[in-house]
Amino acid sequence: MNTPGSKQPSWFPRPPSWLSRPILVLALIIMSFVQYPSDHPFPIQNLPYGVFSTDTQPATRPGVAIGDFILDLAALSQTEHWAKSPVKASIFQTANLDAFVALEPEDWAAFRAFLTSILSPSSPLKANADAVLVPRTAASTHLHLPINIGDYTDFYASYEHAFNAGVLIRGPANALQPNWKHLPVGYHGRASSIVVSGTPFHRPTGQILDKPTDKQPIFAPCRKLDYELETAFVGRKHIFGMVLMNDWSARDIQTWEYVPLGPFLSKNFCTTIAPWIVTPAALEPFKVKQYEHDPALLPYLDDPEGYNYAVPLHLEIKTAESEAYSHVSTSSMQHTYYTFAQMIAHHSATGCNLRPSDMMGSGTLSAPGNSDAPNDGALGSLLERSRLGREPFELNEGRKDMTWLRDGDSVRITGVAKGEGYSIGFGECEGTVLPAWAGA
Amino acid sequence: MNTPGSKQPSWFPRPPSWLSRPILVLALIIMSFVQYPSDHPFPIQNLPYGVFSTDTQPATRPGVAIGDFILDLAALSQTEHWAKSPVKASIFQTANLDAFVALEPEDWAAFRAFLTSILSPSSPLKANADAVLVPRTAASTHLHLPINIGDYTDFYASYEHAFNAGVLIRGPANALQPNWKHLPVGYHGRASSIVVSGTPFHRPTGQILDKPTDKQPIFAPCRKLDYELETAFVGRKHIFGMVLMNDWSARDIQTWEYVPLGPFLSKNFCTTIAPWIVTPAALEPFKVKQYEHDPALLPYLDDPEGYNYAVPLHLEIKTAESEAYSHVSTSSMQHTYYTFAQMIAHHSATGCNLRPSDMMGSGTLSAPGNSDAPNDGALGSLLERSRLGREPFELNEGRKDMTWLRDGDSVRITGVAKGEGYSIGFGECEGTVLPAWAGA
């Protein structure tokens, strides 16, 4: 519950007014000349933004996913169809989405309306669409980081994850730190180590304790390599969009290094994001009530109209010895105790200047369990699922004693929200563990 | 002591080979046609890099400080004198030093030799130098951030500071965390909130505990605003240069927020750096022996030729009610337990990709005291000097009960190393505390 009568500061991030329009009704009747099945993750109701290149045109450039194609915005901006665009051509004649992300929500809305029109069945583009539609899944098409990430912050906003981790580390009585229910705990991450889905990474080598009681560390390949099922948002005053994220974590390096200044090398060897940024406009139909806040939050975090997005998130593992993925977990984007608007409000409260192309992670998203135990099918990390590695579990495909990630293991996160007659997909966020560097 | 016989990995950051030349001897005989007194902080032996603009030419561009002037590198690159430059003109025809910083140490050395020649008494530039020399201290000349900072990391590498802070927080028996003598503790800071000297900032408002035993926080202006006397380096494989830094800290916000993920809002409202980047070539004569490491460091941190730089650093405060600065502390750049090369080696050991324009802070630099007490005249923070605010102290000018910073207080850090017949200055790193935003 929020404090009754508390006044919200004028700078509190708010969804733009156009989001309150009943676009769900509109969504049911709009279609595109691009053909795709009704359960396709990239219908015209989605229109996520990304950056791509092709073997024949290796310059990276912005695009929008539509069905099995990418609408090449750089190419489109050089055609006569751009005459109706509310956005200057130069905004998309660049290597990333930074210039577009730096515009205002009204511009994003106007451009979405333009895209919806230009892709509609009656669009004049239909006659010469081949020039601007690129096969999305072709081997010759490559996806890249969508923005030049400025600063990267990772929150720790899932109550269930924080509680589960706290129980394992400190026991149920002190599972949550005293500050946790008063502010969205977060820390600065490493922007340079964020990579796009499909980029493999080497198992990190770092300082760990060989035995927990040791005083002298060793320098060795990480033995407790974990994933973190997350989502992240791009935005400053307003949220431009959401991506899937896997914040890979080296738990043994983390345990040894993180007191008192927080995670450092245990997190900055690799963080993977999916290539497609899904907009709030596409997610509007999937709003759900935010978490109840007890104790009440301070007024600067008051967000009476706050909401989360119900987007199921699936995590699968393909082990080195297996041909197929095993489903491990289904959580949801909605499992943050704090809304994304509250994260922004907190982040900027002391005067920190947020920039358009900053990225902010939700933290690991685990779903509620029952009163006695976590929901094993909805946990966002191996730390939780294997109880700090003490309780191996069985995968559908192959491995019977899963604890931490082994060399050759791949992890894939996907997210699809099912609407009325259509789906909103987030693409996939995949990464594979390579062996530690030789000699390490 | 380092582990005897341990092998250093080939990727261990090493000073470039040209640094081993006896340039001290050379330094004694080189001069410039630009006139300055013998104790000037910016003689030809220094040649620090910065970025500036002028009222008549508002485009920001790179320059080099020489005496009371800035040599405009963008302007120089468009003259016939550039014919002898080993670096392309386009490198400096930009708004910052990023392109130059991304070159190799051999390029930096060659360009330094070019600068030394072009500024020498017999240089042909002397005849028409007015076109490329800008008055450095004129009101119409403005200094800016020298690089577009990628990621910002702050270490915690001063033994004396870590020990002093630990004693105050946990007592002398547990002053250092178990990991402290095994690795350079560090955390990711916020790149966007780094500002250039002279930029005032508002006192941050955030969550604090009104009384230490409170369970419910309040949202209020910081009451324990502190400075941190630091230096920072720019570099990746090799160090491009050093700057003065003040990592302003809100101690009450920090106390409440920092467990378990480290400092966040307590640090990201403002970090100030001096505008001039001083190069290793200029600091070569000031190398001193590194700290002894006991216990021995792991081989990946082994740095038998490691060194620190002896550069005295002065911190002064001008209180809101005073006309003049009071000297508060003299520490030195040499007081890091880990060498800068060790910080780079550790940072990149797990696979973290460092980029040329990243910035890394040393952490607060306090100097050794005697066996019973810290050296009050050489402490890098008010936390240490005022014993967590419990022991007010007197400033030379005005205030008799100094604990934490008040609105209107200014803090200035300067650094000058005295060589044989010349000085190497770092400029100044100054900032003033403005009141908290109205309504906060």
Side-chain angles (χ1 to χ4, degrees):
Chain A
M1 258 188 351
N2 289 299
T3 315
S6 62
K7 279 189 68 178
Q8 199 164 51
S10 61
W11 48 267
F12 194 91
R14 291 257 52 86
S17 59
W18 52 266
L19 267 184
S20 59
R21 291 183 204 160
I23 64 171
L24 175 60
V25 177
L26 180 67
L28 293 178
I29 55 168
I30 57 176
M31 292 186 302
S32 172
F33 67 79
V34 178
Q35 299 294 305
Y36 45 79
S38 64
D39 62 347
H40 198 285
F42 297 133
I44 195 165
Q45 290 88 349
N46 193 347
L47 302 178
Y49 293 96
V51 162
F52 73 102
S53 65
T54 55
D55 286 349
T56 50
Q57 270 187 278
T60 59
R61 51 203 193 269
V64 163
I66 177 75
D68 289 336
F69 297 89
I70 299 170
L71 176 63
D72 182 337
L73 294 175
L76 185 68
S77 75
Q78 291 167 324
T79 68
E80 75 278 9
H81 302 289
W82 201 261
K84 292 186 177 171
S85 166
V87 166
K88 284 188 301 184
S90 62
I91 293 285
F92 292 109
Q93 291 170 358
T94 65
N96 54 50
L97 287 159
D98 289 7
F100 186 54
V101 169
L103 299 181
E104 296 297 320
E106 292 70 22
D107 302 310
W108 304 335
F111 192 71
R112 181 175 169 88
F114 166 71
L115 287 177
T116 303
S117 168
I118 203 84
L119 289 167
S120 71
S122 60
S123 167
L125 179 63
K126 187 178 179 180
N128 50 3
D130 285 354
V132 295
L133 289 177
V134 174
R136 185 171 51 78
T137 59
S140 56
T141 301
H142 313 285
L143 291 159
H144 305 278
L145 282 180
I147 57 171
N148 181 19
I149 299 164
D151 278 292
Y152 160 48
T153 294
D154 202 18
F155 286 96
Y156 185 55
S158 160
Y159 172 84
E160 290 76 16
H161 169 69
F163 183 82
N164 294 339
V167 167
L168 289 165
I169 296 168
R170 287 178 299 275
N174 303 300
L176 291 183
Q177 300 286 355
N179 57 17
W180 201 92
K181 283 201 161 183
H182 295 284
L183 55 82
V185 171
Y187 68 100
H188 300 121
R190 175 90 193 173
S192 77
S193 59
I194 298 178
V195 301
V196 76
S197 179
T199 309
F201 65 95
H202 289 271
R203 173 180 300 274
T205 299
Q207 283 200 24
I208 61 175
L209 295 182
D210 189 30
K211 295 186 291 293
T213 54
D214 281 358
K215 303 290 183 205
Q216 170 67 40
I218 60 173
F219 186 69
C222 167
R223 301 168 181 176
K224 298 184 177 179
L225 186 60
D226 201 352
Y227 51 73
E228 292 192 337
L229 184 167
E230 300 197 18
T231 53
F233 62 90
V234 175
R236 182 175 44 164
K237 286 177 291 186
H238 303 286
I239 291 171
F240 174 76
M242 309 288 311
V243 294
L244 304 179
M245 173 179 274
N246 185 342
D247 189 32
W248 309 91
S249 298
R251 300 299 182 193
D252 41 4
I253 296 173
Q254 187 175 351
T255 300
W256 173 239
E257 77 172 359
Y258 91 109
V259 176
L261 299 185
F264 182 49
L265 300 189
S266 53
K267 299 276 194 173
N268 68 15
F269 55 93
C270 186
T271 299
T272 306
I273 61 170
W276 296 108
I277 305 180
V278 177
T279 64
L283 294 174
E284 179 68 15
F286 307 100
K287 280 183 176 174
V288 290
K289 198 164 173 295
Q290 64 181 311
Y291 276 53
E292 295 283 321
H293 297 109
D294 181 19
L297 298 176
L298 284 164
Y300 81 102
L301 291 174
D302 200 20
D303 185 17
E305 298 165 42
Y307 52 86
N308 289 359
Y309 294 121
V311 178
L313 303 172
H314 303 281
L315 188 138
E316 302 161 291
I317 299 175
K318 185 158 74 67
T319 64
E321 64 273 22
S322 173
E323 294 294 310
Y325 277 93
S326 296
H327 177 265
V328 175
S329 180
T330 296
S331 186
S332 168
M333 193 181 288
Q334 79 188 88
H335 296 306
T336 57
Y337 184 81
Y338 297 93
T339 65
F340 295 124
Q342 285 170 331
M343 296 180 209
I344 292 177
H346 183 67
H347 203 321
S348 55
T350 46
C352 182
N353 56 327
L354 306 185
R355 297 180 292 190
S357 291
D358 292 337
M359 181 164 280
M360 303 190 200
S362 60
T364 310
L365 296 166
S366 294
N370 61 42
S371 57
D372 293 323
N375 178 353
D376 273 356
L379 299 175
S381 66
L382 288 172
L383 177 150
E384 294 164 87
R385 183 65 184 84
S386 73
R387 314 290 191 265
L388 292 175
R390 294 173 196 141
E391 298 183 17
F393 64 98
E394 186 169 352
L395 297 178
N396 298 338
E397 300 284 340
R399 195 172 301 164
K400 296 188 188 307
D401 58 344
M402 186 73 201
T403 51
W404 306 107
L405 295 171
R406 301 183 196 170
D407 292 348
D409 287 357
S410 299
V411 177
R412 182 169 70 184
I413 301 170
T414 51
V416 178
K418 301 275 181 196
E420 297 285 336
Y422 68 95
S423 297
I424 300 291
F426 280 73
E428 64 178 53
C429 174
E430 186 271 342
T432 297
V433 183
L434 301 177
W437 290 102
Chain B
M1 255 189 352
N2 289 300
T3 316
S6 62
K7 279 189 66 179
Q8 199 164 52
S10 60
W11 47 267
F12 194 92
R14 290 258 52 87
S17 59
W18 52 266
L19 268 184
S20 60
R21 290 185 205 160
I23 63 172
L24 174 61
V25 176
L26 180 67
L28 294 177
I29 55 168
I30 57 178
M31 292 186 300
S32 173
F33 66 80
V34 179
Q35 299 295 306
Y36 45 79
S38 64
D39 62 347
H40 198 284
F42 298 132
I44 195 164
Q45 290 88 349
N46 193 347
L47 301 179
Y49 294 96
V51 162
F52 73 102
S53 64
T54 55
D55 286 348
T56 49
Q57 269 187 278
T60 61
R61 51 203 192 271
V64 164
I66 177 73
D68 289 335
F69 297 89
I70 300 170
L71 176 61
D72 182 336
L73 294 175
L76 184 69
S77 75
Q78 291 167 325
T79 69
E80 75 278 11
H81 303 288
W82 203 260
K84 292 187 178 170
S85 165
V87 167
K88 284 188 301 184
S90 61
I91 293 285
F92 292 110
Q93 292 171 358
T94 64
N96 55 50
L97 286 159
D98 289 7
F100 186 55
V101 169
L103 298 181
E104 295 297 321
E106 291 72 19
D107 303 310
W108 304 335
F111 192 71
R112 181 176 169 85
F114 166 71
L115 288 176
T116 303
S117 168
I118 203 82
L119 289 168
S120 72
S122 60
S123 168
L125 179 63
K126 186 177 178 180
N128 49 4
D130 285 354
V132 294
L133 288 178
V134 174
R136 186 171 49 81
T137 58
S140 56
T141 301
H142 312 285
L143 291 159
H144 305 276
L145 282 181
I147 56 171
N148 182 18
I149 299 164
D151 277 292
Y152 161 47
T153 294
D154 202 17
F155 286 97
Y156 184 55
S158 161
Y159 172 84
E160 290 75 16
H161 169 68
F163 183 81
N164 294 340
V167 167
L168 290 166
I169 296 167
R170 287 177 300 276
N174 302 300
L176 291 183
Q177 300 285 356
N179 57 16
W180 200 93
K181 282 200 163 184
H182 295 284
L183 55 81
V185 171
Y187 68 100
H188 299 119
R190 174 90 194 172
S192 77
S193 59
I194 297 178
V195 301
V196 76
S197 179
T199 310
F201 64 95
H202 288 272
R203 175 181 298 273
T205 298
Q207 283 200 24
I208 62 175
L209 295 183
D210 189 29
K211 296 185 292 294
T213 53
D214 281 359
K215 304 290 183 204
Q216 168 68 39
I218 60 173
F219 186 68
C222 166
R223 300 169 182 175
K224 298 183 177 179
L225 186 61
D226 202 351
Y227 51 74
E228 292 192 336
L229 185 167
E230 301 196 17
T231 52
F233 62 91
V234 175
R236 182 176 44 164
K237 285 178 293 186
H238 301 287
I239 291 171
F240 173 75
M242 310 288 310
V243 294
L244 305 178
M245 172 178 275
N246 185 341
D247 189 32
W248 309 91
S249 298
R251 300 300 181 192
D252 42 3
I253 296 172
Q254 188 175 351
T255 301
W256 172 240
E257 78 172 357
Y258 90 111
V259 177
L261 299 184
F264 182 49
L265 299 189
S266 54
K267 300 275 195 174
N268 68 14
F269 54 93
C270 187
T271 299
T272 306
I273 62 170
W276 296 108
I277 305 181
V278 177
T279 64
L283 294 174
E284 178 68 14
F286 307 100
K287 281 182 176 176
V288 290
K289 197 165 175 297
Q290 65 180 312
Y291 275 54
E292 295 284 321
H293 298 109
D294 181 18
L297 298 176
L298 286 164
Y300 82 102
L301 291 175
D302 199 21
D303 185 17
E305 297 166 43
Y307 52 85
N308 289 359
Y309 294 121
V311 178
L313 303 172
H314 303 281
L315 187 137
E316 301 161 290
I317 299 176
K318 184 160 76 67
T319 63
E321 64 273 23
S322 175
E323 294 294 310
Y325 276 94
S326 296
H327 177 266
V328 175
S329 181
T330 297
S331 185
S332 169
M333 193 181 288
Q334 79 189 87
H335 296 306
T336 58
Y337 185 81
Y338 297 93
T339 66
F340 297 124
Q342 285 170 331
M343 296 180 208
I344 293 177
H346 182 67
H347 203 321
S348 55
T350 47
C352 181
N353 57 327
L354 306 186
R355 297 181 291 190
S357 291
D358 291 338
M359 182 165 280
M360 302 190 202
S362 60
T364 309
L365 295 168
S366 295
N370 62 40
S371 57
D372 293 323
N375 178 353
D376 274 357
L379 299 174
S381 66
L382 288 172
L383 177 149
E384 294 164 87
R385 183 65 184 83
S386 73
R387 314 290 191 264
L388 292 175
R390 294 172 197 144
E391 299 183 15
F393 63 99
E394 185 170 349
L395 297 178
N396 298 338
E397 300 285 339
R399 194 173 301 163
K400 296 188 186 311
D401 58 344
M402 185 73 203
T403 51
W404 306 107
L405 295 171
R406 301 183 196 170
D407 293 349
D409 287 357
S410 299
V411 177
R412 180 169 72 184
I413 301 170
T414 52
V416 178
K418 300 274 182 196
E420 297 285 333
Y422 68 95
S423 297
I424 299 291
F426 280 72
E428 64 177 55
C429 175
E430 185 272 343
T432 297
V433 183
L434 303 177
W437 290 103

